[in-house]
Structure formats: structure tokens, C-alpha cells
Amino acid sequence: MVDLKISIITINYNNKSGLEKTIESVLQQTYDNIEYLVIDGNSTDGSKEVIEKHKHRISYWVSETDSGIYNAMNKGGTKATGDYLLFLNSGDVLYNRNVIEYMVHQVGNEDIVMGYVYSESSKKICYDDVKFPVTFLDFYRGNPIPHPSSLIKQDLYKSLLYDENLRIVSDWKFFLQAFIFRNCTYKMIPYVVTSFEDGGVSSDLELCKKEKNKVLNELFPERLLLDYFKFLYGGGYNNSDYDKLFVTIRKYNYSSIIYLLALMVVRFISLFKTNASFSRKLSLFWKSEHV
């Protein structure tokens, strides 16, 4: 679909060098119909000066204190007027200067159009192995949707927004609601859109687990979750210590472990029998030679 207006939102806090890279990657795009919004959290490291240097090519910007990552994203997202929104945080960059133009030509009328992301730390392409359709199980097990490379239709975003009470999994909650509850339409384009920096607050695995459990308990009735876990992990699941151990074993593919252990036992017994048979025959031979 040509001539779409794409709103790109960059949030930043005290990441001057990362912000510079991100802004440059946006301003170098060959696609013209881009609305660029930069939301800075009242940085003190010179980020504001970077924004002012490029302000003639930035559609909207502000530098003021916010209450967190998702509050900043919503500040930009609610100001955006594009057909699709892309959240490109400071430090992340568009993979090449033709990315937006290429993606626009792949859009039909889907609610979300995604591409791959490239991890700077691991030096590999991510999300190229996502299996569709995406289900609740995919969200329960991880983050199946690449937020930094997802074009989100404006009306879908504004009907949900990011939950500002969450620190690190609000985008996960957003996509869970969009895919599972709204049954949104989507398309994955086999093309790298964004190069992103790993780390930051989203690397806090304990907080991530805590917030995801909070979201699940908020969105799903307790008994529905209980039935789901029974189906997923086996009957009688009630979050006891025994069941937690069972779940942990299952998580690491317990069937393969049991199979391997069983195979080792069988081979040990076979070896024992072979050795026992050989010992018996040797004993009989020795006796026959000395009778």
C-alpha cells in the first residue's frame, strides 16, 4: 500500500550517543511520508542539544520528566497522526536507508506488519523462526512479536495504549491483547527492519516474570488459567512445590531426559548380561581344562 504515513516514535533518557544514531537512521530514509516524534525524559547528558540540532526535520519533540518508558511511548503515540506507528527507541537504528520504503510496499490492510530484528550483541537475526499463527502458548513461553520492528495501525494502538503501571512488559501485554483478544490481522515480512541494542531494564528476568504473572491474572479468570496449566503441564496442577518441580522438569523436555535415562539403563543391563554371560563361559572353560 503506497503513500502511507508512517509515524516513528523515539523515546530517550540520557542516551545522547544512542539518540544521535537513531535520529540519523530515521532522517536518512528514502521514504518521504514519515512523521518523526522524539520524546526525551528531561535528559541531562546533552540529548536535548542533539534534538535541537535536528529539530527542523523532527515533526514533534518534547523534553520533560516522565513516569517511565511506557508513559514516554504513550506521549509520542497519542500525538502521532500516521497510518502506522513504529516505536524505535534511542540506541536502536533502522537497518538500512530503504527499510521504511520497502515495508510500506508490503503493507496490505493488516493491523500489524512485522519484520526481523538484528541483535548487535549476538550478531544474529532474531524472530526469523517465529511460527504462525501466534497463540497464547507462544506469549506464555516468551515474546513472539518483535516490538522494535512492528508497524502498528494507529487505531489499534490508540484503542489499547501501553499500560503505564508496568515497567518492562507493557509491549508484551499490548501484543497479547491485540493478537489473542482482538484477533488482529498481521503479516511477517522476511526482512530485517531494526538493529537493536540488548540490555537495559528489560533484561531484569525476575521483574519480567513478576509482571507477566500480574498481567495473566488481570486478563484471564483464575479457573481458566488453572485449566490451561492442567492441560499444559498435566492434571492436578495447583502450584504446589511438587507441581512446580514437575513443571520445571517438563520445561526442560523431561520426556527426552527420561528416554535418555531409560536408554542408559537398558544399555547397562545389556552390558551386564553380556559380561555375566562371558564370565560364565570363561568359568566353564576354566573348569573343563582343570578337571
Side-chain angles (χ1 to χ4, degrees), residues 125-143:
I125 294 173
C126 305
Y127 292 95
D128 56 333
D129 57 350
V130 176
K131 306 297 182 184
F132 293 97
V134 172
T135 66
F136 172 55
L137 180 59
D138 297 308
F139 282 98
Y140 180 74
R141 288 177 170 170
N143 298 306

Side-chain angles (χ1 to χ4, degrees), residues 52-89:
E52 288 180 331
K53 182 173 70 173
H54 299 286
K55 65 181 182 181
H56 62 289
R57 299 190 62 190
I58 296 174
S59 307
Y60 172 85
W61 71 275
V62 66
S63 182
E64 62 185 18
T65 303
D66 54 57
S67 60
I69 294 171
Y70 297 108
N71 174 241
M73 287 187 180
N74 282 337
K75 280 184 180 181
T78 53
K79 287 284 187 181
T81 61
D83 299 293
Y84 285 85
L85 280 58
L86 173 67
F87 290 88
L88 188 72
N89 294 345

